[in-house]
Amino acid sequence: MNHKAFFNRIRESRLFWVLTAWSVILGFNALFIPEFFRIAIQDGHLYGNLIDVLNNGAPLMLVAIGMTLVIATGGIDLSVGAVMAISAAMGAVLINPAPTDKLVSNEILTRNATNTPLGIIVLATLAAGMLCGLWNGLLVSRAKIQPLVATLILMVAGRGIAQLITNGQIITIYYTPYFWFGNGYILGLPVSIYIVAAVAIMAWVGVRKTPIGLFIEAVGINPKATYYSGISAKNIQLLAYTFSGFCSALAGLILSSYVHSADGNNNGLNYELDAILAVVMGGTMLSGGRFSLLASVIGAMVIWTFTLSMYALGVPANALLAGRAVLVLLVILLYSDRRLMKRRSKSADNQNKSDVITPDEKLDLPRP
């Protein structure tokens, strides 16, 4: 077996560098923060930093899954954080037992009750997110607005829409069944982990067991060639942005359930940047093309492992963003090294081909 070829094949995998970055962080924690790996069982539920990475990172993983498909088409979605805020606001308003703006007693406002059945709340929340994604998709695919500008519009306006929905207030949620999405457990593990797994499997089946994944990559690599192949790039872009809105709405549902409130200003804040970083760390090029959903999910886990590690070391929250930037820079440099090696290997192959002497050259005969 050719070990060098085997090792090169592993290095070429999109999972290699992001897993390497995760292993380095976990190795650092093993040396300096051994309690990071401590897992306890309380009331039949698993607790610990590793469980927190999965539970707290669940919204980011969901957003990263949607963002991966958008970036693979050559686009970008800056509105995911605002869509999370809109969805959270929608859910909180539908739960609120106080009708409209009428003044009610604190006893009514804080009771464990809802104005709307939970199933309808979930459907309305997801529908709001998908509607936002559809809007972005229409602007990009039909109106031909640059993805950066099109999604920037909703990124700015979305916070205002969330404020309008909540009437400019932070709505605290007291309806306990709603907490199940962010704080519930199934077989000892947080419910949010199962939600991420379900969405990831659904997305993987959709893009790897149907032609959709191939169409997405084709649109990202060469939209013009895709058009001449009879594939509707417009519909593929529309699908990707709508799915991103669905993922963001689900992330907003989990986040508002976890923090028991809806805040139009702060729900989902900076998630668009974290999601882009997770996707880039997963090896998906911002120019579009080939992608890996699993690598993007692991990229989100790397970000949250790093975040919780810094908290465990007592690093202030203000300095955390700078540390996260350094982490992303190191991973991107590793990818740059990989691409540089690929280019060198390709150049070497071309050089070897040019060095091959044709029979005519051996005989020094004139070419026809």
Side-chain angles (χ1 to χ4, degrees):
M1 184 177 180
N2 190 337
H3 295 284
K4 186 178 179 181
F6 177 72
F7 181 71
N8 286 338
R9 189 175 176 183
I10 292 177
R11 284 194 63 185
E12 292 299 324
S13 169
R14 279 180 166 71
L15 295 175
F16 180 75
W17 290 115
V18 70
L19 282 174
T20 301
W22 197 27
S23 302
V24 169
I25 297 172
L26 292 178
F28 177 86
N29 290 343
L31 291 175
F32 299 101
I33 324 171
E35 62 273 15
F36 188 87
F37 297 93
R38 193 172 299 153
I39 293 178
I41 301 177
Q42 285 183 344
D43 302 327
H45 303 155
L46 294 175
Y47 290 94
N49 285 313
L50 292 178
I51 304 299
D52 288 343
V53 168
L54 298 174
N55 193 23
N56 296 352
L60 181 57
M61 292 180 209
L62 287 170
V63 174
I65 290 172
M67 183 71 81
T68 301
L69 299 190
V70 171
I71 289 179
T73 62
I76 199 162
D77 190 351
L78 296 180
S79 67
V80 291
V83 174
M84 289 174 67
I86 292 172
S87 303
M90 178 70 74
V93 166
L94 291 175
I95 290 172
N96 191 358
T100 63
D101 295 334
K102 187 179 177 182
L103 289 176
V104 295
S105 66
N106 197 46
E107 185 181 352
I108 295 175
L109 197 62
T110 59
R111 69 183 180 182
N112 181 13
T114 176
N115 254 351
T116 314
L118 185 59
I120 295 179
I121 293 170
V122 174
L123 290 177
T125 302
L126 297 179
M130 292 177 70
L131 195 62
C132 292
L134 187 67
W135 166 257
N136 284 332
L138 287 172
L139 289 182
V140 173
S141 64
R142 265 58 180 190
K144 298 297 180 187
I145 299 177
Q146 286 289 325
L148 190 72
V149 178
T151 56
L152 187 63
I153 294 170
L154 189 57
M155 177 187 175
V156 176
R159 297 282 170 192
I161 295 171
Q163 293 277 4
L164 284 174
I165 294 173
T166 60
N167 204 18
Q169 298 180 0
I170 299 174
I171 298 181
T172 305
I173 301 170
Y174 297 93
Y175 183 50
T176 52
Y178 188 76
F179 302 157
W180 181 78
F181 299 101
N183 297 282
Y185 282 83
I186 297 176
L187 300 176
L189 291 173
V191 171
S192 57
I193 296 175
Y194 294 96
I195 295 175
V196 172
V199 173
I201 291 172
M202 180 182 71
W204 181 83
V205 170
V207 299
R208 296 304 178 206
K209 296 299 178 183
T210 69
I212 293 175
L214 190 62
F215 294 165
I216 289 174
E217 291 182 345
V219 170
I221 293 171
N222 194 334
K224 189 174 286 185
T226 307
Y227 173 77
Y228 288 116
S229 302
I231 300 170
S232 173
K234 293 178 180 178
N235 290 339
I236 294 297
Q237 288 173 326
L238 196 64
L239 176 67
Y241 281 95
T242 305
F243 182 71
S244 178
F246 168 79
C247 291
S248 302
L250 206 48
L253 178 73
I254 293 175
L255 195 62
S256 61
S257 167
Y258 184 72
V259 300
H260 299 187
S261 67
D263 182 354
N265 278 330
N266 292 310
N267 282 143
L269 190 64
N270 291 333
Y271 264 70
E272 57 277 349
L273 302 180
D274 286 345
I276 293 170
L277 294 179
V279 174
V280 170
M281 279 200 290
T284 302
M285 300 282 289
L286 285 177
S287 55
R290 297 188 63 187
F291 63 92
S292 169
L293 294 173
L294 180 59
S296 298
V297 169
I298 296 175
M301 291 168 63
V302 170
I303 291 175
W304 266 100
T305 305
F306 180 80
T307 301
L308 293 182
S309 302
M310 293 298 101
Y311 284 151
L313 287 172
V315 174
N318 293 335
L320 185 61
L321 292 177
R324 195 180 291 179
V326 172
L327 169 71
V328 174
L329 178 63
L330 290 175
V331 176
I332 300 304
L333 286 175
L334 290 173
Y335 274 113
S336 300
D337 176 62
R338 188 187 76 170
R339 294 192 186 101
L340 184 62
M341 291 186 65
K342 284 179 71 176
R343 282 200 296 271
R344 285 175 177 170
S345 175
K346 194 173 179 180
S347 300
D349 291 342
N350 293 335
Q351 183 64 34
N352 291 336
K353 287 178 183 175
S354 64
D355 290 342
V356 174
I357 301 174
T358 62
D360 290 347
E361 289 172 337
K362 277 183 179 178
L363 298 175
D364 197 20
L365 297 176
R367 295 182 181 178

